[in-house]
Amino acid sequence: MAPVTAPGRAMHALVERLYPLCRSITGDGVRATLDVVGEYLPLEVHEVPTGTQVLDWTVPQEWNIRDAYVADASGKRVVDFAASSLHVLGYSVPVSATMPLSELRPHLHTLPDHPSWVPYRTSYYKPAWGFCLAQETLDALPDGEYEVCVDSTLADGHLTYAEHVVPGQVADEVIVSCHVCHPSLANDNLAGIAVAVFLARSLAERNPYYTYRFLFAPGTIGAITWLARNAERIDRVKHGLVLACAGDRGQLTYKRSRRGDAEIDRVLGHVLEASGRPHRIKEFTPYGYDERQFCSPGFDLGVGSLSRTPYAGYPEYHTSADNPDFVTPEAMADTLALCEEAFSVLDRNRRYRNLSPYGEPQLGRRGLYDSLGGRSDAKEAQMAMLWVLSLSDGEHGLLDVAERSGLAFDTVAAAAGALHDAGLIKA
């Protein structure tokens, strides 16, 4: 795992700053989150009105909340939204009532297997109200009357999402997507947001080949809305990566696209293997994060998903235990470094055509052998040139060369650069 770095510490600080905000699939919490992200990156923020048809879905009403609590007979708040945004069922409709504990219980959600943790629960598309609390808190509540208040609004408004574009040398795009709808959950997905922010800043310093479009959107409905609003230009999207659960101590996990052999799948597999990092490669399933929207058969984009421990794969998932202490600067720095390595390969994975394909061209008179003199890797560099010339038929990319030859991608790319400069191959 990568050591603690300045970006690692800065990403963790961003997670801590965003953690208290109450996010949902719509509302002021999303806007406040994007306001913070906007301090790091210029964003184009989009507001899509309630009722807008987006593919098979409709943009829902906007939800906002000011306060929520359960108070005992003395007026003491035994469950308090002000202490944690997880304490209220997401999208709870307004309620103001007094009721006995027996009537209140069906609206209370706990985790009996982890009695000190508070669960994360929502009811986005079915009107309901409720509270989430620790099982040990519930067990300590005496029978009696309780004041129940959810000071919220559910009304016509907007769904909010944002984009940041890192211009490339070509208009073809790589999508990097992360969801911004979860409330106080550090790994899922504040760590993903933080890695995306610092990845965008890193790419902007590189003059990348592809144009990189970063999407900060609520899960599911946000990706569906973006796809619906960009269907006419979707052919520009050549590759994509969904970032989630990017900050826990587990090993890196890559989930392939629906295609299974998309270029992004091959690049992530190659880079993970070459890096020596402990990792897992998972096949596509139509459940998870927004890769399933981008990979739906009508779009069939080459979009995979990168995480550390996958969703629902750790006990802290969707609980109050997924707090800033659960994610580490080291893990986020490692995720960021892996993304930088992968996109470096993706950007350089060109297909070339050999301009001297009849027999082996004479490298010596072009000074290519002389350029290797004294290099400790001279033999590998020479072999890389020969492999690039052999597979530069317009059909094979440099990743094909690296995989078939067993040579490092950087060595192959350097050889291709030398051959291109000598006029022996062209893209």
Side-chain angles (χ1 to χ4, degrees):
M1 188 175 295
V4 177
T5 61
R9 288 189 293 269
M11 285 186 286
H12 197 270
L14 178 55
V15 167
E16 290 180 314
R17 185 177 174 192
L18 293 174
Y19 184 75
L21 299 177
C22 182
R23 282 163 291 275
S24 188
I25 56 173
T26 61
D28 291 336
V30 174
R31 296 186 186 97
T33 299
L34 296 177
D35 284 345
V36 173
V37 172
E39 296 177 18
Y40 292 77
L41 301 172
L43 296 178
E44 182 178 1
V45 178
H46 304 269
E47 297 276 7
V48 185
T50 296
T52 302
Q53 189 70 29
V54 286
L55 306 181
D56 195 46
W57 294 58
T58 304
V59 172
Q61 289 188 310
E62 181 176 325
W63 183 70
N64 286 293
I65 184 166
R66 288 165 291 277
D67 196 10
Y69 61 87
V70 176
D72 63 18
S74 72
K76 176 185 177 182
R77 294 190 177 193
V78 294
V79 184
D80 191 358
F81 168 75
S84 171
S85 59
L86 294 180
H87 276 308
V88 69
L89 177 78
Y91 254 64
S92 280
V93 298
V95 61
S96 179
T98 300
M99 63 187 68
L101 182 59
S102 59
E103 185 179 338
L104 177 58
R105 277 185 180 275
H107 298 276
L108 302 180
H109 306 274
T110 65
L111 292 167
D113 292 342
H114 296 282
S116 65
W117 296 356
V118 177
Y120 164 56
R121 299 287 184 269
T122 64
S123 185
Y124 293 144
Y125 301 106
K126 180 180 179 182
W129 63 269
F131 293 87
C132 300
L133 65 160
Q135 180 68 46
E136 60 189 22
T137 300
L138 177 59
D139 292 343
L141 295 181
D143 289 333
E145 296 289 307
Y146 289 85
E147 180 188 359
V148 178
C149 173
V150 177
D151 182 10
S152 65
T153 56
L154 191 59
D156 287 355
H158 296 83
L159 178 146
T160 310
Y161 71 92
E163 298 176 278
H164 170 77
V165 176
V166 179
Q169 300 170 36
V170 297
D172 290 345
E173 291 186 0
V174 179
I175 287 178
V176 181
S177 173
C178 60
H179 58 276
V180 297
C181 52
H182 285 21
S184 296
L185 299 172
N187 199 39
D188 182 24
N189 188 38
L190 296 180
I193 295 171
V195 170
V197 165
F198 281 80
L199 178 60
R201 293 172 65 161
S202 172
L203 287 168
E205 297 174 354
R206 295 187 176 195
N207 184 30
Y209 177 72
Y210 288 108
T211 293
Y212 285 82
R213 183 176 298 274
F214 286 77
L215 306 181
F216 299 89
T220 304
I221 187 65
I224 286 171
T225 299
W226 186 86
L227 286 164
R229 288 163 59 89
N230 291 274
E232 77 287 348
R233 53 180 298 282
I234 210 71
D235 59 335
R236 293 188 191 176
V237 178
K238 304 304 179 185
H239 319 283
L241 190 65
V242 173
L243 289 173
C245 302
D248 67 87
R249 294 171 174 83
Q251 64 184 359
L252 285 159
T253 301
Y254 178 70
K255 176 182 172 183
R256 297 181 191 274
S257 71
R258 176 180 174 270
R259 298 180 193 173
D261 62 351
E263 189 172 344
I264 192 72
D265 301 327
R266 295 183 56 218
V267 166
L268 263 294
H270 176 82
V271 171
L272 281 165
E273 185 65 29
S275 74
R277 291 175 174 90
H279 67 275
R280 288 174 290 182
I281 304 290
K282 297 179 63 177
E283 295 303 319
F284 177 81
T285 62
Y287 186 76
Y289 291 113
D290 284 330
E291 68 278 356
R292 69 189 197 272
Q293 310 307 333
F294 298 116
C295 292
S296 57
F299 295 107
D300 195 25
L301 298 175
V303 177
S305 177
L306 182 68
S307 62
R308 302 196 73 85
T309 307
Y311 62 89
Y314 50 98
E316 297 84 357
Y317 178 76
H318 280 193
T319 78
S320 58
D322 184 0
N323 57 49
D325 291 336
F326 181 66
V327 298
T328 72
E330 296 92 338
M332 285 186 282
D334 189 50
T335 306
L336 173 63
L338 188 280
C339 291
E340 291 172 334
E341 293 163 23
F343 288 155
S344 175
V345 171
L346 188 68
D347 265 348
R348 293 178 292 161
N349 187 30
R350 305 278 195 286
R351 294 181 181 182
Y352 290 93
R353 186 167 294 280
N354 189 335
L355 299 179
S356 182
Y358 299 101
E360 182 180 305
Q362 190 175 8
L363 302 182
R365 69 179 175 85
R366 294 176 170 87
L368 293 171
Y369 282 148
D370 293 341
S371 69
L372 303 178
R375 286 178 50 170
S376 60
D377 63 344
K379 184 170 179 59
E380 282 193 348
Q382 177 184 340
M383 286 303 301
M385 288 184 191
L386 296 177
W387 272 108
V388 170
L389 287 167
S390 179
L391 293 180
S392 290
D393 52 8
E395 301 296 327
H396 294 85
L398 296 186
L399 183 57
D400 294 306
V401 178
E403 290 178 339
R404 188 162 174 182
S405 67
L407 296 167
F409 184 89
D410 285 350
T411 301
V412 170
L419 291 168
H420 182 271
D421 291 346
L424 286 171
I425 60 174
K426 71 173 183 178

